[in-house]
Amino acid sequence: MHNSTQIAVAINHCKMYINGQQEISKGKLVPQLNPATGETVALVPECTREEVDAAIASAQAAFPAWSKTPVLQRSRILFHFRDLLEKNSEELIALVTEENGKTLDEAKGSFQRGLECVEFACGAPTLMMGEGLEQISNGVDTNVIRKPLGVCVGITPFNFPFMVPLWMFPVAIACGNTFVLKPSEKVPRCSVRIIELLYQAGLPAGVINVVHGAKDVVNQLLNDPRVRAVSFVGSTPVAKYIYETASANGKRVQALGGAKNHSVVMPDSDMKSTVESIMASSFGCAGERCVATSVVVAVGEAGDPLVAELTKVANSMKVGAGDQRGVIMGPVISPEAKERILGMIDAGEKEGAKIARDGRGDSVNKSEGNFIGPTIFDHVKPTMRIAKEEIFGPVLSVIRAKNLQEAIDIVNASEHGNASSIYTRSGTTAREFTNAAQTGMVGINIGVPAPVAIFPFSGWKGSFYGDLHALGKDGVRFYTESKVVTSRWVD
Ligand code: NAD
């Protein structure tokens, strides 16, 4: 039964997907707020235990037929899905901006990256191929075939409502698995809409299901024996918890965590392009990217001109609602995130870092949304909180280092290891940094090593728990297990 408040706002009620049908949850409702205006845009349910159970049961029931469906047919549905995504791109891009706050240009970029994940998964007939060797003994041949696992689960964060779910389920279902998706409760509607398009593309009922909620729903998914594998993207403490809990329950897990990415700027770097690249990397998506540059390590004389230029460009950035023309940076996700980020800026100031550009003033002028202007700290010490902890907001810390080795030591002291970059004109310096950096992704004269569907998203240390990463061939291996078939035929 729904109460009258629920019925009055049913139009904005975020639906679940069970057995190919959109359904209204009987669970408690939580308002979803537009980060740029603070207005309620939808009500998001916390699905009940029975509903989550029904979603898993639906995925399990769909598995035998789906896994037996020829891979060419499975991939054909994904081709149709890809076309439907493109046909509806404007609507989806606008939805990403409304849910998450990023600018329309940023939402468009994330749409393209997501689309490429579907295109990659369309190649399942080739990607799933095994290998074989005949005559390993007299009359004996051996082949390795790759089999789907069964019911897989995806749990996603708020910062890429369109792209991150597409890191997971297209490859999973293309390989013959069925799926239960639990999107971020902060941005759930994008997932519901893309699953609607996937069913329109011809997916059989139950192959993918969507449930909503947070910790309790996740715990139920992690503890259900019918779930074979869990893909997670989110913060480090939750990634670690997911990895420990699901793997203790015998499941395959890939858990991508938080980040604290460093960019090293050498004195010989090209200052103009370096500044452009760092600004986009640090303040794009309001700093809410797991590949954002959060710390710049300025080597030798690079420091003074770099900070002066970064500050100049930051002063010219227009902050506002992501759907407004000319806006370069949108709001952060929630009032709580804004408070936390402002608290980190206060902490940096108290610890003695020098504020070169203060974005706190920008937040006061637009009190209805979660706005913070670009903030730059100079002369940050590696021991300060702003240098060590993930801020996940528009705050950049500049640490000064004497030489390349000191810079590498600073990068490698981080407990995270998602991405790092170096800006230099020297191939020798770039090579030395690439070899020494303890991060799973390295950029050379590039700020954001953007996730590309054909390569694994390769975080290290506290940025990743598991063995096989998301995307690329790792993703295909994660969602399949190998079976070795040895045969002898006697005449
Ligand atoms: P989050 O960890 O708070 O939430 C992620 C998901 O986990 C959500 O679906 C949420 O409902 C669920 N969740 C939250 N708390 C939980 C708990 N205690 N137990 C079980 N489930 C829980 O992350 P977020 O704030 O949505 O996203 C931002 C974080 O994600 C940042 O740390 C960012 O670096 C990280 N991120 C990492 C990558 C990557 O590829 N490594 C990509 C994007 C985002």
Side-chain angles (χ1 to χ4, degrees), residues 246-406:
S247 56
N249 287 336
K251 302 182 197 317
R252 204 175 259 213
V253 194
Q254 49 179 198
L256 287 67
K260 188 77 183 172
N261 305 309
H262 297 71
S263 282
V264 174
V265 179
M266 299 302 290
D268 70 344
S269 65
D270 174 66
M271 195 51 73
K272 186 167 175 291
S273 60
T274 298
V275 167
E276 267 170 27
S277 171
I278 290 174
M279 289 303 292
S281 178
S282 299
F283 300 115
C285 299
E288 293 173 325
R289 278 193 294 209
C290 65
V291 284
T293 294
S294 178
V295 179
V296 161
V297 187
V299 175
E301 308 101 68
D304 289 345
L306 180 70
V307 173
E309 268 312 297
L310 289 172
T311 306
K312 199 169 113 195
V313 182
N315 280 331
S316 70
M317 273 173 78
K318 187 171 170 195
V319 178
D323 60 358
Q324 301 297 306
R325 278 179 86 106
V327 165
I328 302 292
M329 196 171 84
V332 296
I333 188 70
S334 63
E336 295 77 29
K338 177 176 164 179
E339 279 313 303
R340 187 184 49 73
I341 296 161
L342 291 175
M344 285 299 283
I345 299 175
D346 293 345
E349 196 176 29
K350 279 204 193 96
E351 284 189 287
K354 180 172 169 265
I355 299 199
R357 207 272 162 190
D358 193 344
R360 288 174 294 190
D362 303 7
S363 68
V364 179
N365 300 333
K366 301 187 181 67
S367 51
E368 73 279 11
N370 316 315
F371 295 100
I372 304 176
T375 298
I376 301 173
F377 279 105
D378 194 6
H379 296 289
V380 173
K381 300 280 170 256
T383 49
M384 293 177 179
R385 281 184 65 200
I386 50 170
K388 291 195 300 192
E389 294 176 25
E390 181 177 43
I391 301 175
F392 221 56
V395 182
L396 174 63
S397 298
V398 180
I399 299 179
R400 308 288 188 116
K402 283 195 287 296
N403 52 39
L404 177 63
Q405 189 52 53
E406 193 183 324

Side-chain angles (χ1 to χ4, degrees), residues 155-159 167 182-186 213-215 218 232-235 238 241-242 256-259 290 390 392 418 457 463:
I155 301 156
T156 55
F158 76 80
N159 64 330
W167 286 2
K182 204 299 288 171
S184 165
E185 65 279 21
K186 297 183 183 117
K215 193 177 174 180
V218 170
F232 171 85
V233 177
S235 58
V238 183
Y241 169 76
I242 300 270
L256 287 67
C290 65
E390 181 177 43
F392 221 56
N418 220 31
F457 199 67
S463 298

